[in-house]
């Protein structure tokens, strides 16, 4: 019964990806913790953290694909929701430092002591509890997205205008979080984390736990996105993407559908940011850079928007390339990224997964044509058409 319900809401490709992510969540930590470093199957700790970071980017890409690929909302500000979730987790991690900081203050983080803050700001209260921080990880991006979306979608702001406004939103947050008097560490941000849930954040076991949590949350995001897309709600979202005016004429409250999926997507991006911070060890205002949101759009475009699985592939491949190029050829990376975006736009409009789907469709078409020809008598088979002879 449960299996039938699962496959009703997740297609075969999505179920395979979910199974692989669950397997990674189990096998990679076991490989790191149980196998000796000399083993060919041992995954070193640095690689666990690196792949975990890629998976958080993949989760952000899936969140963006939900609104862009299936609802037609091109967001250039999803990096803001990612960063807000990261800051919520970073505030919890800073509260766990306690007297082990440089200034040994049991309440105030080091940057507040350095800036001569006398007491903890009101919005920092509660972040010494993990459950409160976890709630803020989804609530803060969700509330911001709901307020922004309610104003934008009710005003029927669409297309490039909405994209520009989302980019302006993340840039405004960038400027705000750079200020020291905001109480978020200014330019330096939040760092020097010690513990998470009482475990040493630098320990191999903790790194593996964070990796497993990231893989499982990504699998959950794939399931939730597939559930939404394959439901009646998903059919309406696709209708809004392809013909918004017609959906309005049919009586659908388009703004409500867009607001719902926009808020859900922002919450998913916040979770991605919260999983990113403890694995990277820092969160600062640079995460609000509009370029980060544009990179996320490139991940989705490269993998194939509107496919759920494609954005995961795009996020992992592009960030792997970024890791390689920024180490081997740091001055070439931005040119390579720009060239990649141009190539995808001109030659791969459906992304990698779309290209694979087109190839599969042509292969099946050729196979069906060949079977059809083999089943016909030789006199009825269609041969090559002779070229017409020129009149003499």
């Amino acid at each position: 019964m449960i299996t039938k319900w699962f496959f009703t809401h997740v297609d075969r490709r999505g179920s395979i990806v979910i199974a692989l992510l669950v397997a990674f969540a189990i096998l990679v930590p076991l490989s790191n913790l149980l196998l000796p470093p000399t083993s060919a199957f041992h995954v070193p700790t640095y690689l666990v953290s690196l792949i975990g970071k890629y998976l958080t980017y993949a989760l952000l890409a899936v969140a963006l694909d939900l609104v862009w690929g299936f609802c037609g909302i091109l967001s250039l500000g999803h990096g803001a929701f990612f960063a807000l979730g990261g800051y919520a987790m970073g505030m919890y991690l800073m509260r766990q430092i306690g007297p082990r900081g440089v200034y040994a203050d049991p309440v105030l983080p080091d940057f507040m002591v350095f800036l001569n803050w006398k007491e903890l700001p009101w919005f920092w209260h509660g972040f010494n509890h993990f459950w409160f921080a976890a709630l803020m990880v989804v609530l803060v991006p969700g509330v911001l997205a709901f307020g922004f979306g309610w104003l934008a979608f009710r005003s029927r702001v669409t297309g490039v205008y909405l994209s520009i406004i989302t980019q302006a939103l993340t840039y405004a947050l960038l400027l705000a979080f750079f200020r020291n008097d905001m109480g978020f560490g200014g330019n330096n941000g939040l760092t020097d984390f010690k513990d998470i849930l009482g475990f040493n954040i630098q320990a191999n076991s903790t790194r593996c736990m964070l990796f497993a949590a990231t893989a499982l949350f990504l699998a959950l995001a794939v399931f939730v996105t597939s559930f939404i897309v394959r439901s009646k709600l998903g059919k309406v979202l696709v209708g809004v993407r392809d013909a918004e005016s017609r959906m309005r004429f049919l009586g659908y409250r388009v703004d409500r559908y867009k607001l719902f999926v926009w808020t859900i997507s922002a919450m998913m991006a916040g979770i991605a940011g919260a999983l990113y911070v403890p694995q990277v060890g820092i969160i600062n205002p640079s995460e609000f850079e509009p370029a980060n949101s544009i990179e996320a759009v490139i991940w989705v475009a490269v993998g194939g928007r509107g496919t759920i699985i494609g954005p995961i592939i795009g996020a992992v491949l592009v960030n792997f390339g970024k890791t390689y190029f920024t180490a081997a050829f740091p001055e070439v990376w931005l040119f390579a990224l720009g060239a990649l975006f141009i190539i995808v736009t001109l030659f791969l409009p459906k992304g990698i997964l779309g290209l694979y789907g087109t190839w599969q469709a042509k292969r099946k078409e050729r196979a069906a044509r060949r079977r059809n020809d083999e089943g016909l008598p030789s006199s009825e088979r269609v041969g090559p058409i002779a070229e017409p002879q020129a009149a003499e």
Side-chain angles (χ1 to χ4, degrees):
M1 186 68 179
I2 296 178
T3 304
K4 182 180 179 181
W5 179 85
F6 177 82
F7 283 106
T8 302
H9 296 91
V10 181
D11 60 8
R12 184 177 63 88
R13 186 180 292 170
S15 61
I16 292 174
V17 171
I18 291 175
L20 287 175
L21 289 170
V22 173
F24 284 164
I26 298 172
L27 296 178
V28 171
L30 291 179
S31 172
N32 176 265
L33 297 174
L34 300 181
L35 296 180
T38 55
S39 173
F41 298 99
H42 174 78
V43 180
T45 303
Y46 84 90
L47 196 56
V48 171
S49 297
L50 183 63
I51 298 175
K53 182 177 75 169
Y54 290 168
L55 293 183
T56 62
Y57 290 150
L59 179 53
L60 173 61
V62 171
L64 179 59
D65 187 45
L66 179 60
V67 293
W68 184 32
F70 296 99
C71 197
I73 304 173
L74 175 56
S75 170
L76 298 181
H78 254 54
F81 306 129
F82 180 87
L84 288 173
Y87 264 97
M89 178 56 67
M91 293 166 72
Y92 162 77
L93 296 173
M94 290 297 291
R95 292 298 308 273
Q96 300 306 300
I97 297 175
R100 292 173 295 174
V102 175
Y103 297 101
D105 192 294
V107 177
L108 296 180
D110 286 337
F111 73 88
M112 291 186 183
V113 178
F114 178 78
L115 295 173
N116 294 319
W117 289 62
K118 302 304 180 184
E119 60 181 4
L120 196 69
W122 63 269
F123 49 84
W124 275 77
H125 290 286
F127 279 96
N128 54 320
H129 303 291
F130 181 81
W131 67 266
F132 183 83
L135 181 63
M136 292 299 106
V137 162
V138 295
L139 192 60
V140 172
V143 169
L144 176 63
F146 183 86
F148 175 87
W150 189 82
L151 294 173
F153 300 141
R154 281 175 60 90
S155 302
R156 300 190 181 183
V157 180
T158 59
V160 66
Y161 303 104
L162 181 63
S163 300
I164 293 174
I165 294 175
T166 58
Q167 192 172 51
L169 171 67
T170 187
Y171 189 69
L173 289 171
L174 167 69
L175 297 178
F177 275 73
F178 258 119
R179 296 169 57 92
N180 287 328
D181 56 2
M182 282 288 290
F184 296 107
N187 183 41
N188 296 323
L190 310 177
T191 187
D192 194 31
F193 308 133
K194 308 293 185 185
D195 298 332
I196 180 170
L197 290 173
F199 297 98
N200 182 3
I201 203 169
Q202 300 297 333
N204 287 2
S205 58
T206 308
R207 296 284 183 180
C208 291
M209 177 186 68
L210 291 169
F211 173 88
T214 305
L216 292 176
F217 269 104
L218 179 56
L220 180 62
V222 172
F223 173 76
V224 170
T225 305
S226 298
F227 182 86
I228 293 175
V229 169
R230 293 171 68 88
S231 65
K232 293 181 180 179
L233 170 63
K235 303 299 185 295
V236 175
L237 294 177
V238 172
V240 172
R241 179 195 66 188
D242 295 338
E244 182 174 337
S245 297
R246 181 174 297 180
M247 296 300 290
R248 291 185 188 277
F249 292 149
L250 291 174
Y252 288 97
R253 296 294 301 270
V254 171
D255 56 321
R256 295 184 180 180
Y257 287 96
K258 295 170 76 171
L259 181 59
F260 171 78
V261 74
W262 173 260
T263 304
I264 294 296
S265 176
M267 291 179 175
M268 291 169 58
I271 294 173
L275 292 167
Y276 168 85
V277 168
Q279 296 183 84
V280 175
I282 187 172
I283 178 71
N284 57 40
S286 65
E287 298 298 335
F288 287 102
E289 288 280 359
N292 293 339
S293 298
I294 296 174
E295 276 194 37
V297 172
I298 295 176
W299 305 339
V300 177
V302 168
R305 71 186 184 104
T307 60
I308 302 178
I309 312 303
I312 298 176
I313 298 173
V316 173
L317 289 181
V318 173
N319 281 286
F320 177 80
K322 181 178 182 179
T323 300
Y324 172 77
F325 275 101
T326 52
F329 310 101
E331 67 281 356
V332 177
W333 163 243
L334 290 179
F335 295 100
L337 186 65
L340 177 64
F341 188 70
I342 294 173
I343 291 172
V344 170
T345 303
L346 294 179
F347 304 106
L348 296 174
K350 296 182 180 180
I352 295 174
L353 212 61
L355 179 65
Y356 174 76
T358 302
W359 175 78
Q360 284 282 75
K362 289 183 178 180
R363 187 176 65 86
K364 291 179 180 178
E365 182 181 351
R366 287 195 298 267
R369 187 179 303 169
R370 186 165 54 249
R371 288 194 301 268
N372 184 46
D373 289 344
E374 291 173 354
L376 291 175
S378 58
S379 60
E380 297 183 16
R381 296 179 187 172
V382 178
I385 300 176
E387 292 288 336
Q389 299 292 329
E392 296 182 359

